[in-house]
Amino acid sequence: MSGVTLKNVVKRYGDVQVIHGIDLDIADGEFCVFVGPSGCGKSTLLRMVAGLEETTEGAMMIGTRDVTRLDPSQRGVAMVFQTYALYPHMTVRDNMGFGLKMNGHPKKVITEKVAEATRILKLEPYLDRKPAALSGGQRQRVSIGRAIVRGPEVFLFDEPLSNLDAELRVEMRVEIARLHREIGATMIYVTHDQVEAMTLADKIFVLKSGYVQQAGAPLHLYDDPDNQFVAGFIGSPAMNFIPAKVIGQAEGRLIVRPDGEDDVTLEAKTTGAGLADGTPVTIGIRPECLHPAETGLSATVEMSEELGGVSYLHTRLAGGRPMVVERRGIREMLEGRTIHLTANPADIMVFDPDGRRQR
Ligand code: ADP
Ligand code: MG
């Protein structure tokens, strides 16, 4: 069994703390993704698991072994980086087998392991080529192959698709998902791209400024975010946020008035415990949860993105806030018009002044 457990892990560079006491549990065979904006500490945390960065405080287990102070080579991990770092003068075959050769494995074993990785990654046609004669996607497959031949307990990926163009990224994403299904090893994957996180992960850890904001299954984070940061980070187009004030409570509902919308009230399904009338809050509504109504938010359509099956209306509310509305199956030209929109109480989230979700 080789899950990964981090206990109160801290990283400091001198006086600068970049990882603030992170606890996490990754089950054996789980595909876990660290996602967050640039600079939030994803690579640092991953490199700490790999042993490439020293852990300042806390403990790290892989399976039942405490690896906190072990060298990278003793941890049973293999890492794939954003830049492929292949040896330019070696063939694909030799690039994949080189690590094993350096560690003194017999030729027969190397040949078998390279053949297995080649099969998994469908690299047969390229075995005798040098990296210069490969596309970006093929090079990244070779560097994944290099990780596979080592037979690690845990695979670590640091933004492996960020150097590829959009189309190839989607293709490689599917390949990595397939690889996980076939190999079944524990994988930790770092990305700033929430779509990659949503499509690949069994479990996502959302990071911000060296703290875990929330952990859970992709759709759990989408449906039930703990705070405004997670709500805004997961989902594309992003959730709309509108500043508002509490104006009353009804059974299980909070009545709010969006700032600058004197005639509009919205009801959100929340107990709103402790939010007195007049409290400033932020309400969050996803683009697909807004629908036309007789009354409700009045929004002027500034631009409409027509993608065929779906359209995104970029609107502006009377109070001046932008709001994106998703529409399906309707292709009416609405640019320049003012429309009225509302959402079901269960689809309106409420965040307190500190960004905490009020359930
Ligand atoms: P991410 O991968 O999420 O973009 P990093 O893990 O690379 O972020 O960086 C997290 C933070 O740690 C950043 O603020 C970065 O400036 C800082 N950092 C990374 N490496 C060092 C270092 N060697 N010395 C000082 N600060 C560092
Ligand atoms: Mg990084």
Side-chain angles (χ1 to χ4, degrees):
M1 294 296 276
S2 47
V4 177
T5 307
L6 270 53
K7 287 192 185 131
N8 197 22
V9 160
V10 167
K11 179 69 186 178
R12 272 190 294 269
Y13 293 106
D15 291 342
V16 184
Q17 187 160 349
V18 297
I19 299 292
H20 299 265
I22 288 185
D23 289 302
L24 54 85
D25 249 316
I26 302 162
D28 183 40
E30 203 164 35
F31 197 120
C32 142
V33 174
F34 298 162
V35 71
S38 178
C40 70
K42 307 177 294 292
S43 294
T44 303
L45 193 58
L46 194 72
R47 293 170 61 82
M48 288 162 76
V49 175
L52 299 171
E53 293 285 350
E54 198 181 319
T55 297
T56 314
E57 280 172 34
M60 232 172 242
M61 313 277 293
I62 294 180
T64 54
R65 295 180 302 136
D66 184 333
V67 300
T68 318
R69 303 285 159 221
L70 292 188
D71 279 346
S73 62
Q74 299 171 312
R75 294 193 180 203
V77 303
M79 189 147 163
V80 176
F81 299 88
Q82 178 175 346
T83 50
Y84 328 117
L86 300 175
Y87 299 107
H89 59 286
M90 286 186 199
T91 61
V92 165
R93 186 195 319 273
D94 292 342
N95 261 292
M96 285 201 281
F98 187 68
L100 296 180
K101 191 170 158 193
M102 291 309 284
N103 287 333
H105 286 77
K107 231 183 188 142
K108 181 162 169 290
V109 173
I110 299 174
T111 307
E112 277 170 19
K113 288 193 186 272
V114 169
E116 171 72 0
T118 302
R119 181 190 63 73
I120 292 172
L121 295 165
K122 303 195 181 80
L123 281 169
E124 284 92 350
Y126 312 106
L127 275 175
D128 295 311
R129 288 202 200 170
K130 302 228 171 106
L134 300 175
S135 70
Q138 291 161 346
R139 283 179 212 173
Q140 192 53 293
R141 272 194 280 159
V142 176
S143 70
I144 294 170
R146 223 168 24 182
I148 294 174
V149 298
R150 296 176 52 192
E153 293 172 60
V154 181
F155 284 78
L156 307 175
F157 295 92
D158 192 354
E159 310 238 14
L161 309 186
S162 297
N163 279 4
L164 306 177
D165 62 45
E167 199 177 329
L168 214 52
R169 245 188 341 253
V170 173
E171 202 178 303
M172 282 298 290
R173 199 166 79 202
V174 175
E175 286 220 19
I176 289 175
R178 190 177 55 79
L179 176 74
H180 178 245
R181 214 166 306 128
E182 178 155 359
I183 300 183
T186 308
M187 296 189 175
I188 308 180
Y189 186 103
V190 160
T191 179
H192 64 274
D193 178 346
Q194 61 90 23
V195 176
E196 254 175 48
M198 292 293 280
T199 50
L200 283 170
D202 296 317
K203 191 196 251 176
I204 296 178
F205 293 85
V206 181
L207 271 75
K208 182 190 168 201
S209 309
Y211 292 93
V212 174
Q213 296 287 309
Q214 191 173 358
L219 293 180
H220 174 73
L221 298 187
Y222 187 86
D223 291 336
D224 198 14
D226 283 346
N227 58 50
Q228 197 178 337
F229 179 80
V230 174
F233 194 79
I234 301 287
S236 171
M239 182 183 282
N240 296 293
F241 293 122
I242 305 164
K245 300 248 175 350
V246 175
I247 59 166
Q249 320 240 354
E251 222 170 292
R253 297 189 175 187
L254 199 65
I255 303 164
V256 298
R257 168 159 299 147
D259 292 353
E261 314 275 332
D262 292 342
D263 306 326
V264 182
T265 56
L266 294 171
E267 288 189 19
K269 186 165 170 281
T270 159
T271 57
L275 292 183
D277 288 3
T279 307
V281 291
T282 299
I283 56 173
I285 311 176
R286 295 209 179 271
E288 72 272 24
C289 294
L290 286 157
H291 42 79
E294 291 292 311
T295 59
L297 293 161
S298 59
T300 304
V301 181
E302 295 186 331
M303 205 251 297
S304 151
E305 281 179 303
E306 308 284 344
L307 302 180
V310 60
S311 315
Y312 296 111
L313 306 179
H314 295 260
T315 74
R316 200 161 290 277
L317 296 172
R321 301 282 301 185
M323 186 169 79
V324 177
V325 182
E326 179 183 309
R327 308 242 293 178
R328 280 178 192 275
I330 304 162
R331 293 188 182 179
E332 202 184 345
M333 278 311 296
L334 291 170
E335 274 178 28
R337 284 177 46 191
T338 297
I339 54 176
H340 294 277
L341 298 156
T342 190
N344 295 328
D347 293 329
I348 301 181
M349 295 190 189
V350 178
F351 302 94
D352 73 10
D354 295 320
R356 277 185 306 248
R357 167 103 180 279
Q358 300 292 304
R359 288 194 169 83

